[in-house]
Amino acid sequence: ISKIQSQITSCASSISQHAATVALATSSDSSWMSLRVAELQAKRDLAYSLLTQIPHVTCPLPSGAFYLLPDVSHYYGKAFIQGDGSQTIIRNGHELCLALLKEQQVALVSGDAFGVDECIRISYATSVDVIEQSLSRLKSFLCSLQ
């Protein structure tokens, strides 16, 4: 039920989707859309390039989304040292996302919400600076796991 609820409340309503389709289809300025597509493709390519530089992380290249779903399952079962010296084992994507938020202030979504627990979901619908900083922190965190 929680998965259904999260998808219902986080998606645009069907009437909004239809209104957007009509607005985009009847727009006289197609350059706006071309610029947005090119901007998102550049951000996708940047995020993908940075992700594929992280050891043991694999990721398919999306063709029409604004997020990536990298497989980070290699890091499950590994531990990170907390500030107080204690160890925490990362067992799944949910725990990895919580630890990353706490330790690196990077907010991601576990792939289990999308049926792929071995993955995490990373949106690239943000600034280039945020993409670079966030993926640098992700890499640092993953490489620190023991």
Side-chain angles (χ1 to χ4, degrees):
I1 291 291
S2 65
K3 286 184 183 183
I4 292 171
Q5 186 272 337
S6 73
Q7 299 304 314
I8 290 172
T9 59
S10 67
C11 298
S13 67
S14 60
I15 193 146
S16 296
Q17 292 176 31
H18 287 291
T21 301
V22 170
L24 291 171
T26 60
S27 173
S28 61
D29 182 13
S30 63
S31 65
W32 180 88
M33 180 61 75
S34 297
L35 290 172
R36 298 297 71 78
V37 169
E39 178 184 351
L40 280 173
Q41 284 177 334
K43 290 177 179 181
R44 177 205 61 193
D45 293 346
L46 171 65
Y48 181 80
S49 173
L50 294 171
L51 272 173
T52 57
Q53 293 175 25
I54 301 173
H56 310 291
V57 171
T58 60
C59 185
L61 183 66
S63 61
F66 57 88
Y67 55 86
L68 297 162
L69 287 168
D71 182 337
V72 293
S73 60
H74 171 82
Y75 295 96
Y76 297 172
K78 299 196 182 290
F80 74 94
I81 309 298
Q82 298 185 60
D84 63 3
S86 63
Q87 287 189 347
T88 299
I89 304 293
I90 303 293
R91 294 179 303 211
N92 55 47
H94 181 74
E95 290 179 1
L96 185 129
C97 288
L98 288 175
L100 190 61
L101 180 60
K102 181 179 177 185
E103 298 297 316
Q104 294 287 331
Q105 293 74 52
V106 174
L108 301 176
V109 179
S110 173
D112 68 342
F114 307 97
V116 282
D117 186 51
E118 63 275 6
C119 298
I120 54 176
R121 184 176 187 217
I122 299 173
S123 172
Y124 53 84
T126 186
S127 71
V128 167
D129 190 47
V130 168
I131 293 168
E132 291 173 339
Q133 287 182 29
S134 299
L135 293 180
S136 174
R137 291 178 185 185
L138 173 64
K139 181 178 183 178
S140 175
F141 179 76
L142 292 176
C143 289
S144 74
L145 297 178
Q146 305 173 1

